[in-house]
Every structure is written in C-alpha cells, then in structure tokens.
Amino acid sequence: MLEPVSPRFAVGFDLDLTLADTRAAIGAVYAALAAETGVPIDVEAVVARIGPPLEVELAYWFPPSEVPAMADRYRAIYPDVAVPATGLMPGAVEAVDAVRARGGRVIVVSGKNQADTERTVRFLGLAVDEVVGGLFGADKGVALRRYGAGAYVGDHTGDVDAARAAAATAVGVATGAFDAAALTAYGADVVLPDLLAFPGWLAGFGDGAGNGTGDGSARVSGELSGDGSAA
C-alpha cells in the first residue's frame, strides 16, 4: 500500500488542457500517424476529445488488433513532435505559484503516460512537487490521496471523478471539451472559466469563502487538509 508522504496541504492539477495546451501537439502526432499509416484521421475530432486514455481515442481509427502497436508508435513520436509544440494554458504559472505561495505542494496527475507527463512538465518549466502519469478518472484518486490533495483541478468530467475518489474538492476549469454548464451538471464543486481565476478562488479556500469565481456555480467551500479531504 502507498503511504501518505506529506502533512503539508497539496493541490492536484490535471495536465492536458488544464496546465498544458496540448491541442496542436496532440493533433500533430495524429497527423503523423495518419501520414504513416494512410488511415484518414479527423484531427479536429481527436483534439475535441482530449482527456481519456490514448487507447480509447486510437480505437476510433484503428481495429482493436492494431491499437497496441499504434499506441507504441504514438508514444515513440510524441517526445520529438508533441512536446516542443506544447504551450502553457492561460494562468497555469500563476495557479502553480499561488499554491506554492501558501506553502502548499503542487501535484500533477495526468492520463498521459509517465514519461511524457514528466517531459511536458519539464519543458513548460512548471515548478511542481510530484508528477504522476498514466491514470484517468477515479483511478487518479490513489495518487491524489497519497499526496494529500485537498482539491483537484481539471477540465474533464473524469477529473471530477478523480476528485470524488480522493474525497477532494473538485475544481473544474472550462478550458477543455466541457463548458461550465457541463462541469457543473456533472457535479464539480467549483467551476472557473480558466486558471486565471484560480488564485482568487484559492485565496478564499480555507477561510470559509471558497467560492467559484467563474459562473457562480460553486456549491462547496472548505479547507485544504493533509489527509486529502476538504474540511
């Protein structure tokens, strides 16, 4: 069993379309796969679905028997093609800095494989404390609990599931495929328009004023606690 590692409060962040703008990057890899294989891939459709595991997306374009090999090829292409084409989402640096300014730890938990998650964080120069890749949805809860995340920030409904699995506050950012209304309807505790609004929300998270600054949809306030719960 994984043991908790720190009594200091922590905030977890998703990577793709939360901290990192990987739309052009991921699109370029799929364009390269299409060119290599001759399989027509609708890159715009791929980019619109960023979030779930790689194999789920590949299954739209390749028969099941070919998906493992295509996943291997995708991961071989990714470092040279995608990482240099990755940018920061608006407010990403400010969000990370806001957590650290309060003495907190920043935990990145992503569905992207471990190596490319680490490469992406390093390329973007994000000052994070822990990086965990290869987890999606509720499976992220194991890592979030281990590192004591009291909140998890992400753009996908699967990130709400992650926060729920960790008994953490689910902070949605409407920067991916799901808009504020969809994230709210799915059950996010707080919905922000983007990470530019995060420092303001974080400033009130812990004094009873933890309200979403996006569309006013926040329903839960709390305090970041070392056991990974919002109290």
Side-chain angles (χ1 to χ4, degrees):
M1 177 184 295
L2 294 175
E3 296 296 326
V5 298
S6 175
R8 285 193 295 144
F9 83 83
V11 176
F13 290 87
D14 176 47
L15 186 61
D16 290 350
L17 302 189
T18 299
L19 291 172
D21 188 345
T22 52
R23 288 169 289 199
I26 289 173
V29 179
Y30 277 95
L33 277 181
E36 284 187 8
T37 62
V39 173
I41 296 176
D42 185 340
V43 173
E44 289 187 7
V46 170
V47 170
R49 288 192 291 257
I50 289 174
L54 170 62
E55 289 79 3
V56 172
E57 181 60 44
L58 288 170
Y60 284 101
W61 312 106
F62 299 95
S65 62
E66 295 181 19
V67 167
M70 290 300 101
D72 288 344
R73 184 60 187 142
Y74 178 101
R75 292 183 179 114
I77 295 170
Y78 199 96
D80 293 332
V81 171
V83 172
T86 301
L88 288 162
M89 292 295 285
V93 172
E94 293 85 347
V96 169
D97 287 349
V99 176
R100 298 184 69 84
R102 287 189 58 184
R105 306 174 76 240
V106 177
I107 316 301
V108 172
V109 185
S110 174
K112 194 185 301 298
N113 69 86
Q114 182 71 30
D116 287 330
T117 300
E118 292 177 0
R119 289 186 183 105
T120 300
V121 169
R122 185 165 55 248
F123 176 77
L124 294 175
L126 292 168
V128 311
D129 296 280
E130 305 290 345
V131 176
V132 181
L135 299 174
F136 178 71
D139 289 341
K140 292 181 176 181
V142 174
L144 294 172
R145 280 185 176 275
R146 183 189 184 205
Y147 293 111
Y152 185 61
V153 186
D155 65 285
H156 198 279
T157 54
D159 298 324
V160 178
D161 293 334
R164 290 283 172 269
T169 296
V171 181
V173 284
T175 50
F178 296 91
D179 62 15
L183 291 168
T184 300
Y186 195 77
D189 298 312
V190 177
V191 177
L192 307 176
D194 51 40
L195 286 179
L196 291 169
F198 178 82
W201 173 78
L202 183 67
F205 190 62
D207 62 5
N211 295 316
T213 57
D215 61 0
S217 63
R219 291 187 294 279
V220 175
S221 63
E223 182 174 356
L224 291 171
S225 60
D227 64 359
S229 62

